[in-house]
Amino acid sequence: MQKNRRYKKISKASSSDANGKLRQPTILDAFKKVGVVTSQEVPNKESSASNSQGRASNSANQNLCDSSEPDIIEVSAVAKALEVQRFKFRPLLVQCFSILAFSENQGSCCSDPAAEFPLYLYLLRDLHYKLNCFTPGKQSLARSLSPSAGFTRMTVDEFMSKIRPLFPSIKKHFKRVVCSLTESDETCQEHWKVQSASAKNPDVSNLVLSRSAVSTLVFKETLCCFSKMLNLPAIQREKSVLSDLLEAFQPNKIPDSVLSDIQPNILPGTVEYLYLGAYSYIESVLNTVCSFSFTLASESLLTLESIVNSFQNILDKLEENGKITHSECIQGVLPALRSRLGASAQKLLRHNWDNSQLESGWKSRGEIIQKMLHIYLENSESTSDLLDELACYILPQVSQTKEGDHGFPTLCSATFVLWYRVLHEVNLTVLNKLVKEVILLEKPRAGVQVQTVEKLLIKLRQSVNVVVSLVNMCRTHHKVTVHAMAVKYGGKFVDSFLKVFDFLQAHFNMFNELIIQLVRDLQKATRTIQALCSEAKGLKQTVITSKIPATKRSMERFLFCVKALLHTTSSGCSFWMGNLKHKDLMGQVVSSQAYADDQDNNEENSTEAADDDLPATVASEEEGEAE
């Protein structure tokens, strides 16, 4: 009995070849056991469901023994599951990172040390993990995953003093990875075999690692570690370490086009010069990878943003410390960097990406598309003007049936909701900044210029035009998500706009026409929102109805603020208040019970609909009550 059990255990632990002989399971068996797909298993997926199981087992055995074709192993499929188990791994000591400064490239049969990339990837990921322990906001998460012994007692200054000599090596490997990605994906089999044997790996002749996949991961981890180190508060305080880090990522020469935009001229060796150099180098990398990979281009853009944010923090600290003379010399660097950052984001948004460059289509790129659009809007010369252009002219060209020729291939029916959300968010941010400027003007002080007031009113009207255009797009886009965002952000916009009514009242006599037009334009959006709310209640669209109460309260307050504004100021306008007619999104008059499900509750629905109406009309005396 015991012998039989023992035999069963042995048979399960091993497998048999075509001749029925027992053999030791290989690494390839282990990969297939956890579900990693190899290149030769893809055709098997097209087989019929009835014979798929038997064919898979036969093809696996045949691939392991008889096939001379290498299996390309893609480990990215299990990367997330592997990361979850990281706390079980043996942590690396800080001294292990010195391997990054060692290379076996000399004497190798290949000029490109592609076989070293997996090792560098392992080291860079551990470096990334340790940097999280010093990053504000991620310290508790990183420390809960059992870091290496003695590492928690190490300060960030001690850690960076050990990593500091490796900055040039990290840049050297990053440069090799970029070269590897731009070259053809050919791997020297003999080189891989020698390296694998020296690592004491089992002899698996038909196992080949995808060089492009490893190079891509090393590329992303290097830029991520660089961004994290650049934005550590301790490094920004220690200028020598910061200078060494920036100096390691310098180009051969900063383009003259970059330096010519900055006045007065900056001197080589200064911190601002090093920031410009590092930015120029990563920007050149972005221009290179933009031709073949959306993922790498977007990662480069995020790194450029981290460089700009780091320089912004340095500039803020100089001003806090009272070093105004030095900050005046570098004041022109930040606008130049932000201008180039916005141009890079615009380049990626306007680039015509094909399916091979997107890797997995637009559906999985939502977060990065929103991030790109935020960078593009927030770093433009005039965010208000760009918002007005995108919301009033570019976005309306995209409908649910056709894409439109608007110059932004990243704006299509699949990404419309993403753009719609970002434009609402940025426009609300712009309005909140204008509210702060208005509050500062309301403080008692002499000499408020008329041009300043008029400029603020024009910006307010521009922001109102954006929200009106976005809300009215619900007439052509019938997705519930779009309608829900129109109700949500429209209500928030009205709520913030209420804070400027004291400012409008104070300057009504001088700018009455501009202010009246401002209110009437916003009224176009509130009426559409009212129709959206009524429709959502009738159709019981809970995604929208959950946002209705807060939005209705804001619109009611807006109604009475307009009434108070016109009542307390002498103007040629009249304010009429009454029940509005029930209209749908297309402006057609409908019955108050049009959306009622139960005919027995007609009276109840009619009463509720009447209570929900928000009537308001602002008209000149010549127009009377025409509206």
PDB file of all heavy atoms in Angstrom, residues 92-95 97 130 133-134 143 148-163:
ATOM      1  N   LEU A  92      16.954  42.127  -0.862  1.00  0.00           N
ATOM      2  CA  LEU A  92      18.348  42.366  -1.201  1.00  0.00           C
ATOM      3  C   LEU A  92      18.964  43.367  -0.231  1.00  0.00           C
ATOM      4  O   LEU A  92      18.304  44.311   0.215  1.00  0.00           O
ATOM      5  CB  LEU A  92      18.464  42.920  -2.624  1.00  0.00           C
ATOM      6  CG  LEU A  92      18.115  41.977  -3.770  1.00  0.00           C
ATOM      7  CD1 LEU A  92      18.240  42.715  -5.090  1.00  0.00           C
ATOM      8  CD2 LEU A  92      19.013  40.756  -3.757  1.00  0.00           C
ATOM      9  N   LEU A  93      20.218  43.167   0.083  1.00  0.00           N
ATOM     10  CA  LEU A  93      20.959  44.160   0.839  1.00  0.00           C
ATOM     11  C   LEU A  93      21.328  45.317  -0.082  1.00  0.00           C
ATOM     12  O   LEU A  93      21.415  45.157  -1.308  1.00  0.00           O
ATOM     13  CB  LEU A  93      22.215  43.532   1.440  1.00  0.00           C
ATOM     14  CG  LEU A  93      21.988  42.403   2.455  1.00  0.00           C
ATOM     15  CD1 LEU A  93      23.331  41.809   2.890  1.00  0.00           C
ATOM     16  CD2 LEU A  93      21.214  42.893   3.659  1.00  0.00           C
ATOM     17  N   VAL A  94      21.548  46.469   0.506  1.00  0.00           N
ATOM     18  CA  VAL A  94      21.884  47.647  -0.298  1.00  0.00           C
ATOM     19  C   VAL A  94      23.183  47.425  -1.055  1.00  0.00           C
ATOM     20  O   VAL A  94      23.367  47.925  -2.178  1.00  0.00           O
ATOM     21  CB  VAL A  94      21.978  48.886   0.615  1.00  0.00           C
ATOM     22  CG1 VAL A  94      22.349  50.121  -0.191  1.00  0.00           C
ATOM     23  CG2 VAL A  94      20.657  49.104   1.333  1.00  0.00           C
ATOM     24  N   GLN A  95      24.103  46.629  -0.497  1.00  0.00           N
ATOM     25  CA  GLN A  95      25.377  46.384  -1.155  1.00  0.00           C
ATOM     26  C   GLN A  95      25.209  45.638  -2.474  1.00  0.00           C
ATOM     27  O   GLN A  95      26.086  45.702  -3.343  1.00  0.00           O
ATOM     28  CB  GLN A  95      26.298  45.582  -0.226  1.00  0.00           C
ATOM     29  CG  GLN A  95      26.793  46.346   0.990  1.00  0.00           C
ATOM     30  CD  GLN A  95      25.757  46.386   2.111  1.00  0.00           C
ATOM     31  OE1 GLN A  95      24.639  45.902   1.946  1.00  0.00           O
ATOM     32  NE2 GLN A  95      26.132  46.974   3.245  1.00  0.00           N
ATOM     33  N   PHE A  97      23.326  46.311  -4.880  1.00  0.00           N
ATOM     34  CA  PHE A  97      23.147  47.211  -6.017  1.00  0.00           C
ATOM     35  C   PHE A  97      24.458  47.532  -6.714  1.00  0.00           C
ATOM     36  O   PHE A  97      24.450  48.066  -7.826  1.00  0.00           O
ATOM     37  CB  PHE A  97      22.459  48.505  -5.569  1.00  0.00           C
ATOM     38  CG  PHE A  97      21.045  48.300  -5.111  1.00  0.00           C
ATOM     39  CD1 PHE A  97      20.643  48.675  -3.844  1.00  0.00           C
ATOM     40  CD2 PHE A  97      20.104  47.720  -5.942  1.00  0.00           C
ATOM     41  CE1 PHE A  97      19.346  48.479  -3.409  1.00  0.00           C
ATOM     42  CE2 PHE A  97      18.795  47.517  -5.523  1.00  0.00           C
ATOM     43  CZ  PHE A  97      18.417  47.897  -4.260  1.00  0.00           C
ATOM     44  N   LYS A 130      12.587  49.916  -2.520  1.00  0.00           N
ATOM     45  CA  LYS A 130      13.241  50.582  -1.383  1.00  0.00           C
ATOM     46  C   LYS A 130      13.026  52.086  -1.415  1.00  0.00           C
ATOM     47  O   LYS A 130      12.908  52.736  -0.367  1.00  0.00           O
ATOM     48  CB  LYS A 130      14.730  50.247  -1.368  1.00  0.00           C
ATOM     49  CG  LYS A 130      15.041  48.807  -0.914  1.00  0.00           C
ATOM     50  CD  LYS A 130      16.526  48.531  -0.917  1.00  0.00           C
ATOM     51  CE  LYS A 130      16.852  47.221  -0.203  1.00  0.00           C
ATOM     52  NZ  LYS A 130      16.164  46.056  -0.742  1.00  0.00           N
ATOM     53  N   CYS A 133      10.005  53.313   0.335  1.00  0.00           N
ATOM     54  CA  CYS A 133      10.087  53.451   1.787  1.00  0.00           C
ATOM     55  C   CYS A 133      10.415  54.880   2.208  1.00  0.00           C
ATOM     56  O   CYS A 133      10.150  55.275   3.346  1.00  0.00           O
ATOM     57  CB  CYS A 133      11.151  52.499   2.349  1.00  0.00           C
ATOM     58  SG  CYS A 133      10.769  50.754   2.115  1.00  0.00           S
ATOM     59  N   PHE A 134      11.008  55.646   1.287  1.00  0.00           N
ATOM     60  CA  PHE A 134      11.363  57.037   1.592  1.00  0.00           C
ATOM     61  C   PHE A 134      10.428  58.032   0.917  1.00  0.00           C
ATOM     62  O   PHE A 134      10.557  59.237   1.131  1.00  0.00           O
ATOM     63  CB  PHE A 134      12.796  57.334   1.131  1.00  0.00           C
ATOM     64  CG  PHE A 134      13.831  56.455   1.764  1.00  0.00           C
ATOM     65  CD1 PHE A 134      14.569  55.565   1.010  1.00  0.00           C
ATOM     66  CD2 PHE A 134      14.071  56.503   3.133  1.00  0.00           C
ATOM     67  CE1 PHE A 134      15.526  54.745   1.589  1.00  0.00           C
ATOM     68  CE2 PHE A 134      15.015  55.694   3.722  1.00  0.00           C
ATOM     69  CZ  PHE A 134      15.749  54.809   2.949  1.00  0.00           C
ATOM     70  N   ARG A 143       6.783  49.645   4.089  1.00  0.00           N
ATOM     71  CA  ARG A 143       7.342  49.049   5.293  1.00  0.00           C
ATOM     72  C   ARG A 143       6.513  47.861   5.777  1.00  0.00           C
ATOM     73  O   ARG A 143       7.017  46.997   6.486  1.00  0.00           O
ATOM     74  CB  ARG A 143       7.437  50.111   6.381  1.00  0.00           C
ATOM     75  CG  ARG A 143       8.531  51.136   6.087  1.00  0.00           C
ATOM     76  CD  ARG A 143       8.520  52.282   7.075  1.00  0.00           C
ATOM     77  NE  ARG A 143       9.550  53.263   6.756  1.00  0.00           N
ATOM     78  CZ  ARG A 143       9.673  54.436   7.360  1.00  0.00           C
ATOM     79  NH1 ARG A 143       8.826  54.766   8.320  1.00  0.00           N
ATOM     80  NH2 ARG A 143      10.629  55.274   7.016  1.00  0.00           N
ATOM     81  N   SER A 148      14.213  44.578   3.989  1.00  0.00           N
ATOM     82  CA  SER A 148      15.386  43.826   4.423  1.00  0.00           C
ATOM     83  C   SER A 148      15.825  44.242   5.814  1.00  0.00           C
ATOM     84  O   SER A 148      15.558  45.356   6.278  1.00  0.00           O
ATOM     85  CB  SER A 148      16.530  44.047   3.432  1.00  0.00           C
ATOM     86  OG  SER A 148      16.796  45.429   3.312  1.00  0.00           O
ATOM     87  N   ALA A 149      16.501  43.327   6.464  1.00  0.00           N
ATOM     88  CA  ALA A 149      16.941  43.563   7.836  1.00  0.00           C
ATOM     89  C   ALA A 149      17.896  44.746   7.879  1.00  0.00           C
ATOM     90  O   ALA A 149      18.838  44.839   7.112  1.00  0.00           O
ATOM     91  CB  ALA A 149      17.631  42.311   8.362  1.00  0.00           C
ATOM     92  N   GLY A 150      17.662  45.639   8.799  1.00  0.00           N
ATOM     93  CA  GLY A 150      18.515  46.798   8.962  1.00  0.00           C
ATOM     94  C   GLY A 150      18.184  47.947   8.033  1.00  0.00           C
ATOM     95  O   GLY A 150      18.670  49.056   8.231  1.00  0.00           O
ATOM     96  N   PHE A 151      17.342  47.703   6.988  1.00  0.00           N
ATOM     97  CA  PHE A 151      17.045  48.771   6.039  1.00  0.00           C
ATOM     98  C   PHE A 151      16.156  49.836   6.649  1.00  0.00           C
ATOM     99  O   PHE A 151      16.298  51.013   6.346  1.00  0.00           O
ATOM    100  CB  PHE A 151      16.389  48.173   4.792  1.00  0.00           C
ATOM    101  CG  PHE A 151      16.009  49.211   3.777  1.00  0.00           C
ATOM    102  CD1 PHE A 151      16.995  49.876   3.062  1.00  0.00           C
ATOM    103  CD2 PHE A 151      14.688  49.532   3.546  1.00  0.00           C
ATOM    104  CE1 PHE A 151      16.654  50.839   2.125  1.00  0.00           C
ATOM    105  CE2 PHE A 151      14.342  50.483   2.619  1.00  0.00           C
ATOM    106  CZ  PHE A 151      15.331  51.136   1.906  1.00  0.00           C
ATOM    107  N   THR A 152      15.218  49.428   7.513  1.00  0.00           N
ATOM    108  CA  THR A 152      14.320  50.403   8.125  1.00  0.00           C
ATOM    109  C   THR A 152      15.058  51.353   9.053  1.00  0.00           C
ATOM    110  O   THR A 152      14.577  52.438   9.343  1.00  0.00           O
ATOM    111  CB  THR A 152      13.218  49.681   8.918  1.00  0.00           C
ATOM    112  OG1 THR A 152      13.826  48.763   9.846  1.00  0.00           O
ATOM    113  CG2 THR A 152      12.318  48.904   7.981  1.00  0.00           C
ATOM    114  N   ARG A 153      16.238  50.938   9.535  1.00  0.00           N
ATOM    115  CA  ARG A 153      17.018  51.824  10.401  1.00  0.00           C
ATOM    116  C   ARG A 153      17.931  52.743   9.602  1.00  0.00           C
ATOM    117  O   ARG A 153      18.626  53.566  10.188  1.00  0.00           O
ATOM    118  CB  ARG A 153      17.863  50.981  11.365  1.00  0.00           C
ATOM    119  CG  ARG A 153      17.036  50.143  12.328  1.00  0.00           C
ATOM    120  CD  ARG A 153      17.903  49.509  13.392  1.00  0.00           C
ATOM    121  NE  ARG A 153      18.833  48.551  12.820  1.00  0.00           N
ATOM    122  CZ  ARG A 153      18.570  47.264  12.667  1.00  0.00           C
ATOM    123  NH1 ARG A 153      17.384  46.790  13.018  1.00  0.00           N
ATOM    124  NH2 ARG A 153      19.465  46.454  12.153  1.00  0.00           N
ATOM    125  N   MET A 154      17.940  52.599   8.297  1.00  0.00           N
ATOM    126  CA  MET A 154      18.790  53.421   7.444  1.00  0.00           C
ATOM    127  C   MET A 154      18.048  54.686   7.034  1.00  0.00           C
ATOM    128  O   MET A 154      16.901  54.634   6.581  1.00  0.00           O
ATOM    129  CB  MET A 154      19.200  52.623   6.198  1.00  0.00           C
ATOM    130  CG  MET A 154      20.201  53.343   5.307  1.00  0.00           C
ATOM    131  SD  MET A 154      20.665  52.323   3.874  1.00  0.00           S
ATOM    132  CE  MET A 154      21.501  50.969   4.701  1.00  0.00           C
ATOM    133  N   THR A 155      18.698  55.816   7.174  1.00  0.00           N
ATOM    134  CA  THR A 155      18.092  57.082   6.760  1.00  0.00           C
ATOM    135  C   THR A 155      18.229  57.238   5.257  1.00  0.00           C
ATOM    136  O   THR A 155      19.009  56.549   4.591  1.00  0.00           O
ATOM    137  CB  THR A 155      18.757  58.255   7.477  1.00  0.00           C
ATOM    138  OG1 THR A 155      20.129  58.329   7.069  1.00  0.00           O
ATOM    139  CG2 THR A 155      18.675  58.088   8.984  1.00  0.00           C
ATOM    140  N   VAL A 156      17.468  58.173   4.721  1.00  0.00           N
ATOM    141  CA  VAL A 156      17.520  58.393   3.282  1.00  0.00           C
ATOM    142  C   VAL A 156      18.881  58.927   2.861  1.00  0.00           C
ATOM    143  O   VAL A 156      19.383  58.613   1.768  1.00  0.00           O
ATOM    144  CB  VAL A 156      16.390  59.350   2.857  1.00  0.00           C
ATOM    145  CG1 VAL A 156      16.545  60.719   3.517  1.00  0.00           C
ATOM    146  CG2 VAL A 156      16.330  59.489   1.342  1.00  0.00           C
ATOM    147  N   ASP A 157      19.541  59.716   3.734  1.00  0.00           N
ATOM    148  CA  ASP A 157      20.873  60.220   3.402  1.00  0.00           C
ATOM    149  C   ASP A 157      21.886  59.088   3.339  1.00  0.00           C
ATOM    150  O   ASP A 157      22.751  59.058   2.445  1.00  0.00           O
ATOM    151  CB  ASP A 157      21.311  61.261   4.439  1.00  0.00           C
ATOM    152  CG  ASP A 157      20.444  62.499   4.405  1.00  0.00           C
ATOM    153  OD1 ASP A 157      19.959  62.845   3.309  1.00  0.00           O
ATOM    154  OD2 ASP A 157      20.241  63.117   5.465  1.00  0.00           O
ATOM    155  N   GLU A 158      21.783  58.144   4.261  1.00  0.00           N
ATOM    156  CA  GLU A 158      22.691  56.998   4.245  1.00  0.00           C
ATOM    157  C   GLU A 158      22.436  56.120   3.024  1.00  0.00           C
ATOM    158  O   GLU A 158      23.388  55.628   2.393  1.00  0.00           O
ATOM    159  CB  GLU A 158      22.518  56.175   5.526  1.00  0.00           C
ATOM    160  CG  GLU A 158      22.940  56.911   6.793  1.00  0.00           C
ATOM    161  CD  GLU A 158      22.591  56.133   8.046  1.00  0.00           C
ATOM    162  OE1 GLU A 158      21.789  55.181   7.958  1.00  0.00           O
ATOM    163  OE2 GLU A 158      23.108  56.486   9.119  1.00  0.00           O
ATOM    164  N   PHE A 159      21.172  55.938   2.699  1.00  0.00           N
ATOM    165  CA  PHE A 159      20.838  55.111   1.547  1.00  0.00           C
ATOM    166  C   PHE A 159      21.344  55.742   0.248  1.00  0.00           C
ATOM    167  O   PHE A 159      21.953  55.062  -0.592  1.00  0.00           O
ATOM    168  CB  PHE A 159      19.323  54.910   1.486  1.00  0.00           C
ATOM    169  CG  PHE A 159      18.863  54.107   0.316  1.00  0.00           C
ATOM    170  CD1 PHE A 159      19.060  52.737   0.270  1.00  0.00           C
ATOM    171  CD2 PHE A 159      18.236  54.722  -0.764  1.00  0.00           C
ATOM    172  CE1 PHE A 159      18.637  51.990  -0.821  1.00  0.00           C
ATOM    173  CE2 PHE A 159      17.805  53.989  -1.846  1.00  0.00           C
ATOM    174  CZ  PHE A 159      18.013  52.618  -1.874  1.00  0.00           C
ATOM    175  N   MET A 160      21.122  57.037   0.096  1.00  0.00           N
ATOM    176  CA  MET A 160      21.546  57.702  -1.135  1.00  0.00           C
ATOM    177  C   MET A 160      23.063  57.797  -1.240  1.00  0.00           C
ATOM    178  O   MET A 160      23.612  57.818  -2.343  1.00  0.00           O
ATOM    179  CB  MET A 160      20.927  59.098  -1.225  1.00  0.00           C
ATOM    180  CG  MET A 160      19.414  59.097  -1.360  1.00  0.00           C
ATOM    181  SD  MET A 160      18.766  58.005  -2.661  1.00  0.00           S
ATOM    182  CE  MET A 160      19.613  58.659  -4.085  1.00  0.00           C
ATOM    183  N   SER A 161      23.762  57.864  -0.101  1.00  0.00           N
ATOM    184  CA  SER A 161      25.230  57.880  -0.151  1.00  0.00           C
ATOM    185  C   SER A 161      25.785  56.575  -0.715  1.00  0.00           C
ATOM    186  O   SER A 161      26.847  56.567  -1.352  1.00  0.00           O
ATOM    187  CB  SER A 161      25.789  58.125   1.251  1.00  0.00           C
ATOM    188  OG  SER A 161      25.477  57.043   2.115  1.00  0.00           O
ATOM    189  N   LYS A 162      25.050  55.456  -0.527  1.00  0.00           N
ATOM    190  CA  LYS A 162      25.476  54.174  -1.077  1.00  0.00           C
ATOM    191  C   LYS A 162      25.054  54.021  -2.528  1.00  0.00           C
ATOM    192  O   LYS A 162      25.716  53.325  -3.315  1.00  0.00           O
ATOM    193  CB  LYS A 162      24.900  53.025  -0.235  1.00  0.00           C
ATOM    194  CG  LYS A 162      25.416  53.005   1.211  1.00  0.00           C
ATOM    195  CD  LYS A 162      24.837  51.843   1.978  1.00  0.00           C
ATOM    196  CE  LYS A 162      25.337  51.825   3.413  1.00  0.00           C
ATOM    197  NZ  LYS A 162      26.798  51.596   3.490  1.00  0.00           N
ATOM    198  N   ILE A 163      23.949  54.638  -2.907  1.00  0.00           N
ATOM    199  CA  ILE A 163      23.462  54.546  -4.277  1.00  0.00           C
ATOM    200  C   ILE A 163      24.118  55.584  -5.184  1.00  0.00           C
ATOM    201  O   ILE A 163      24.224  55.389  -6.398  1.00  0.00           O
ATOM    202  CB  ILE A 163      21.926  54.735  -4.293  1.00  0.00           C
ATOM    203  CG1 ILE A 163      21.257  53.671  -3.432  1.00  0.00           C
ATOM    204  CG2 ILE A 163      21.355  54.643  -5.701  1.00  0.00           C
ATOM    205  CD1 ILE A 163      21.531  52.256  -3.879  1.00  0.00           C
TER     206      ILE A 163
END
